[in-house]
């Protein structure tokens, strides 16, 4: 079976968002162009890492160009996207591997999110070979979301993604672990339950 690639070049909208209450949220990347929308599930840490790496890569582009690029140093507030995910949110796949690249000729950020794949092998050597085959196989690989963004859209995506990650449960002022609405067993209070204030 050939690889399914969900290509958005460019998307009208590319955002990170969540479904569910803090503490039980599911994280998604969602790309939209016209009537077509693709949503892929991923972990909170993946969203955070993707946003940080996009910002780092864009900072490097600005630095190397000496400021002569169309990439803004910060996300412009006039294009901030604070809307919810488009519903219904239908998961195409769960993300395993992500990749970023900068197309300098077209000044575009390329974001790729590849489906999680479980490899089976009897030894570490066989596992390494199976992994290498998977990475080389463009035609029969796992499903992939590929999005090409302008520098401005990439900055806006990263800013929103970091805000989404930070919008979860507030941290305990003593131990920094997340506070649940029903309270929190704080290790710094020797296990006594602390109510959220």
């Amino acid at each position: 079976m050939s690889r399914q690639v969900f290509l958005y070049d460019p998307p009208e909208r590319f955002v990170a968002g969540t479904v569910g209450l803090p503490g039980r949220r599911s994280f998604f990347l969602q790309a939209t162009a016209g009537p077509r929308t693709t949503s892929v599930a991923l972990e909170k840490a993946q969203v955070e890492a993707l946003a940080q790496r996009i910002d780092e890569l864009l900072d490097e582009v600005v630095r190397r160009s000496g400021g002569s690029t169309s990439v803004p140093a910060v996300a412009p507030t006039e294009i901030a996207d604070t809307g919810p995910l488009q519903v219904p949110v239908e998961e195409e796949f769960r993300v395993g591997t992500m990749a970023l690249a900068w197309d300098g000729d077209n000044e575009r950020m390329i974001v790729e999110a590849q489906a999680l794949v479980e490899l089976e092998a009897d030894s570490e050597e066989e596992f390494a070979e199976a992994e290498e085959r998977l990475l080389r196989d463009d035609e029969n690989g796992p499903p992939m979301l590929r999005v090409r963004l302008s520098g401005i859209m990439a900055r806006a995506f990263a800013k929103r993604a970091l805000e989404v990650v930070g919008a979860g449960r507030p941290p305990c002022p003593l131990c920094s672990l997340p506070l649940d609405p029903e309270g929190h067993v704080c290790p710094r209070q020797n296990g006594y339950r602390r109510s959220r204030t």
Side-chain angles (χ1 to χ4, degrees), residues 24-81:
R24 293 171 180 47
R25 298 185 297 170
S26 297
F27 288 79
F28 292 90
L29 296 180
Q30 191 175 74
T32 303
R36 191 170 65 108
T37 298
T38 303
S39 303
V40 296
L42 67 170
E43 298 298 322
K44 177 181 178 178
Q46 289 175 298
V47 174
E48 185 173 28
L50 178 62
Q52 289 172 345
R53 266 312 278 139
I54 285 173
D55 267 343
E56 289 170 6
L57 185 55
L58 291 175
D59 289 346
E60 183 65 17
V61 168
V62 170
R63 188 187 69 74
R64 286 190 181 188
S65 73
S68 65
T69 182
S70 64
V71 175
V74 294
T77 55
E78 60 271 7
I79 65 160
D81 184 346

Side-chain angles (χ1 to χ4, degrees), residues 134-158:
L134 179 67
L135 293 173
R136 278 193 317 247
D137 193 356
D138 288 338
E139 189 176 310
N140 297 313
M144 177 190 301
L145 171 65
R146 182 178 293 143
V147 181
R148 294 177 54 87
L149 304 166
S150 67
I152 292 171
M153 282 188 78
R155 278 284 189 212
F157 169 85

Side-chain angles (χ1 to χ4, degrees), residues 56-154:
E56 289 170 6
L57 185 55
L58 291 175
D59 289 346
E60 183 65 17
V61 168
V62 170
R63 188 187 69 74
R64 286 190 181 188
S65 73
S68 65
T69 182
S70 64
V71 175
V74 294
T77 55
E78 60 271 7
I79 65 160
D81 184 346
T82 58
L85 293 175
Q86 210 165 6
V87 291
V89 178
E90 297 174 358
E91 178 184 322
E92 294 292 341
F93 59 84
R94 177 156 290 281
V95 174
T97 305
M98 295 184 295
L100 287 177
W102 178 254
D103 176 357
D105 294 337
N106 297 305
E107 292 202 341
R108 292 286 182 258
M109 171 75 65
I110 302 165
V111 179
E112 291 183 350
Q114 185 171 288
L116 181 64
V117 175
E118 292 187 29
L119 299 175
E120 294 181 23
D122 295 329
S123 69
E124 284 188 37
E125 187 176 292
E126 285 181 20
F127 182 80
E129 288 174 14
E131 190 175 45
E132 184 63 30
R133 270 194 314 275
L134 179 67
L135 293 173
R136 278 193 317 247
D137 193 356
D138 288 338
E139 189 176 310
N140 297 313
M144 177 190 301
L145 171 65
R146 182 178 293 143
V147 181
R148 294 177 54 87
L149 304 166
S150 67
I152 292 171
M153 282 188 78

